Amino acid sequence: MIHKLTVPISDEAIEALHVGDQVELSGVIFTARDAAHKYMVESFIKTHGNPPASEAALYELLKEKFDGGVIYHCGPVVAKEDGEWRFVAAGPTTSIREEVYQDYVIEHFNLKAVIGKGGMGPRTLAACEKFKAVYLHAVGGAGTLIAERVQQVEDVHKLKEFGVPEAFWQIRVQDFPAVVTMDSHGASIHAVVVAQSDAKMKELAPV
Amino acid sequence: MRDLTQEIVELIRRTSTDLPEDMQKALRSAREQEEPGSAAQGALDTMLINQDMSRRLSRPICQDTGTPIFEVSYPVGWSTRQLTTQIKQAVQIATDKSYLRPNAVDSISGENSGDNTGVEFPTIHFHEWDEEAVHIGLMLKGGGCENVGAQYSLPNGPLKAGRDLEGVRRAALDAVNKAQGQGCAPGVLGIAVGGDRGASYAFSKHQLFRPLGDRNPDPELAELEETIKDQANELGIGPMGFGGKTTVLDVQMATMHRLPASFFVSVSYMCWANRRRSMTVRGDEVTYE
């Protein structure tokens, strides 16, 4: 069975999800990766929600959209045709680089889901449990397929400062496919697979 | 010498949008091995569907179009300076056409050059050879899999890896276990043993140009390639790290001479989106492999 999720996502919808579940997500989400996470923590969170005046408009927008919202770890290939942006290839990027920021961002904005690849660590898992959120794993490299599920690029923020891969792309997606690999009940597929492969390593290369 | 800029743009397009046939075949047979309905099989299905869509729509398989690595073999008398200019122009055009994502950023400021050119970017290696033809190999090496590459200086105490083939096996398996799904498994390993640090890594990437199933001519090394492949798959990491039977699709290894004092094992990990192709220019005739 495939769980359908729509942004904004409720706590109840999150609590119904368990690791291994397949989901299809629809609604307005934002790409955000290394530069964006560093920026959010430094400009919004460390300032206790009092960003410099130049950043206030973006902060207000993100506060509204991230309440029950979704961040996608992705640096897309985009094209501009007749003045309109279009996503050409948009698979996930490796999430673990955001481990030092993600729990702050989940807490501060009441974010409900993070989409990426490779899974995240104990801090993010704890935040998922405490603040009711999930980590959704997309298939890395599936750039064309996911781009086809992006129906519209609504806007882009910080394009000039951060560049195409690192900007905040505000996109409307329909049936974005992913697998729950970290849930709000403290379970992580990644922790299980690591434990199994570590045990096998001890057999294959005992020290 | 003729201007090859447009032909190189076409090489980039083909490389970015269509996986080599051996990789497609390997992914298809991996799919058959995984449990029906599993997340592992679902991931492989997505990869195969994505590949078909990318080829049909002429769009990048993966948005991370990576570091473009060009391996150019050229006849006596060709100018590598002119070839470099043509390659850089081709990369700029391919970026403009969205076959490549702008991927070259200033290391300190983080500023994106916007066109995939920059200091030592893209990577180009030249080799003069005796043939009359120009052969250009291209690999697009994404950042996720590049980040999980690893280099070991043997002996390595914690791994109990000495300066022998057993040590190489231990180092390679450690790299796969540490990578988990982060390198977009199922991957391909290129392994170099020997050299200095720089040459060793470069040679490990060179192995990734070999077709899947190609074995080292030395029977002992060929056997080790098979062993590492089988044992890496026993780790159960599976496609995207979801757990499963397919963790690596192949392992290809080669040795280099080294200093008496050094013994490096360099492991380059290539993701399932193993984008590598080549072209040959013979007179007026251009063929894409």
Side-chain angles (χ1 to χ4, degrees):
Chain A
M1 166 189 150
I2 292 175
H3 293 251
K4 296 275 187 181
L5 291 178
T6 306
V7 181
I9 307 171
S10 67
D11 283 4
E12 292 70 39
I14 292 298
E15 285 178 314
L17 297 173
H18 294 86
V19 291
D21 286 349
Q22 296 185 62
V23 303
E24 284 181 352
L25 174 80
S26 301
V28 176
I29 68 173
F30 287 71
T31 68
R33 41 182 290 172
D34 310 67
H37 277 79
K38 185 167 184 281
Y39 163 80
M40 285 190 285
V41 168
E42 287 178 359
S43 305
F44 306 147
I45 297 173
K46 283 191 178 164
T47 61
H48 305 287
N50 297 299
S54 60
E55 312 306 316
L58 180 56
Y59 181 54
E60 289 307 316
L61 175 78
L62 294 181
K63 265 207 306 195
E64 182 206 326
K65 299 285 189 184
F66 282 172
D67 188 7
V70 180
I71 277 179
Y72 179 26
H73 296 156
C74 169
V77 175
V78 296
K80 200 168 198 177
E81 287 164 1
D82 305 325
E84 297 269 320
W85 291 106
R86 182 172 62 79
F87 268 35
V88 177
T93 191
T94 303
S95 297
I96 196 70
R97 296 193 305 269
E98 318 315 336
E99 175 69 4
V100 294
Y101 307 115
Q102 204 68 68
D103 51 355
Y104 294 124
V105 176
I106 289 171
E107 179 179 6
H108 188 84
F109 290 102
N110 189 37
L111 205 66
K112 290 293 126 190
V114 173
I115 314 173
K117 75 174 170 85
M120 300 190 73
R123 280 176 53 180
T124 302
L125 186 62
C128 284
E129 199 172 1
K130 194 168 171 193
F131 305 109
K132 299 296 160 209
V134 288
Y135 179 82
L136 301 175
H137 203 303
V139 171
T144 303
L145 186 143
I146 295 171
E148 286 288 294
R149 305 290 166 93
V150 177
Q151 294 195 309
Q152 192 196 351
V153 178
E154 290 195 339
D155 206 348
V156 57
H157 312 279
K158 294 282 165 194
L159 178 60
K160 195 151 187 276
E161 267 178 83
F162 295 168
V164 165
E166 298 275 351
F168 290 94
W169 291 91
Q170 181 178 334
I171 53 176
R172 179 176 292 279
V173 300
Q174 181 71 42
D175 298 331
F176 185 123
V179 175
V180 179
T181 62
M182 292 162 67
D183 65 23
S184 64
H185 312 287
S188 164
I189 283 182
H190 307 287
V192 173
V193 171
V194 169
Q196 282 170 353
S197 74
D198 279 350
K200 192 74 200 175
M201 262 308 274
K202 287 204 177 85
E203 275 176 44
L204 293 171
V207 290
Chain B
M1 59 181 272
R2 62 181 284 194
D3 183 0
L4 295 175
T5 308
Q6 289 309 324
E7 287 76 7
I8 298 168
V9 173
E10 175 61 9
L11 173 66
I12 296 169
R13 187 192 70 78
R14 287 175 185 236
T15 309
S16 181
T17 63
D18 193 10
L19 284 180
E21 190 51 47
D22 59 346
M23 279 302 296
Q24 294 184 42
K25 207 171 136 206
L27 290 169
R28 280 196 294 270
S29 60
R31 188 206 172 273
E32 298 310 314
Q33 282 177 28
E34 297 291 350
E35 293 295 323
S38 63
Q41 193 181 58
L44 287 161
D45 278 336
T46 302
M47 293 167 193
L48 288 163
I49 295 167
N50 185 73
Q51 150 65 22
D52 286 344
M53 287 175 79
S54 299
R55 180 176 43 198
R56 191 160 39 82
L57 299 170
S58 194
R59 292 192 192 158
I61 292 160
C62 175
Q63 74 292 335
D64 184 358
T65 55
T67 306
I69 302 173
F70 291 89
E71 296 281 346
V72 184
S73 303
Y74 63 98
V76 181
W78 278 60
S79 160
T80 58
R81 270 189 310 169
Q82 282 183 39
L83 278 167
T84 300
T85 305
Q86 291 169 17
I87 287 172
K88 287 199 165 187
Q89 267 172 5
V91 161
Q92 288 167 325
I93 294 167
T95 309
D96 201 44
K97 288 177 180 283
S98 301
Y99 302 144
L100 299 177
R101 179 178 73 181
N103 243 4
V105 301
D106 181 282
S107 278
I108 308 303
S109 72
E111 192 187 338
N112 197 315
S113 74
D115 66 1
N116 271 307
T117 66
V119 180
E120 299 289 322
F121 205 102
T123 301
I124 311 171
H125 297 133
F126 286 106
H127 320 271
E128 189 179 286
W129 66 353
D130 291 329
E131 306 265 336
E132 284 302 311
V134 178
H135 183 265
I136 303 179
L138 170 61
M139 176 184 301
L140 299 175
K141 182 76 169 67
C145 65
E146 184 65 5
N147 287 350
V148 299
Q151 189 170 65
Y152 298 84
S153 175
L154 303 190
N156 178 308
L159 294 179
K160 256 193 167 171
R163 292 184 159 192
D164 50 26
L165 291 180
E166 169 61 5
V168 173
R169 183 187 71 88
R170 283 172 173 260
L173 287 177
D174 183 67
V176 175
N177 191 39
K178 289 222 169 77
Q180 291 290 310
Q182 310 272 351
C184 286
V188 178
L189 301 186
I191 303 176
V193 181
D196 69 6
R197 286 187 185 273
S200 189
Y201 258 135
F203 203 50
S204 70
K205 285 212 179 74
H206 204 75
Q207 305 316 308
L208 295 171
F209 277 103
R210 288 161 55 186
L212 299 185
D214 180 47
R215 287 285 156 261
N216 192 290
D218 179 327
E220 243 187 334
L221 290 176
E223 194 188 331
L224 186 56
E225 288 173 333
E226 288 284 342
T227 302
I228 293 171
K229 179 173 104 170
D230 293 345
Q231 294 185 343
N233 285 327
E234 284 178 43
L235 293 175
I237 294 164
M240 295 318 296
F242 291 166
K245 296 177 184 139
T246 324
T247 301
V248 301
L249 297 173
D250 206 3
V251 176
Q252 291 170 315
M253 187 189 304
T255 59
M256 323 165 68
H257 280 75
R258 59 178 173 83
L259 296 181
S262 301
F263 193 114
F264 294 114
V265 178
S266 304
V267 182
S268 281
Y269 192 110
M270 186 55 154
C271 58
W272 70 263
N274 182 359
R275 290 151 291 171
R276 54 159 160 71
R277 287 193 173 269
S278 63
M279 63 185 263
T280 307
V281 184
R282 203 177 290 276
D284 285 339
E285 194 192 344
V286 180
T287 48
Y288 295 94
E289 293 92 22

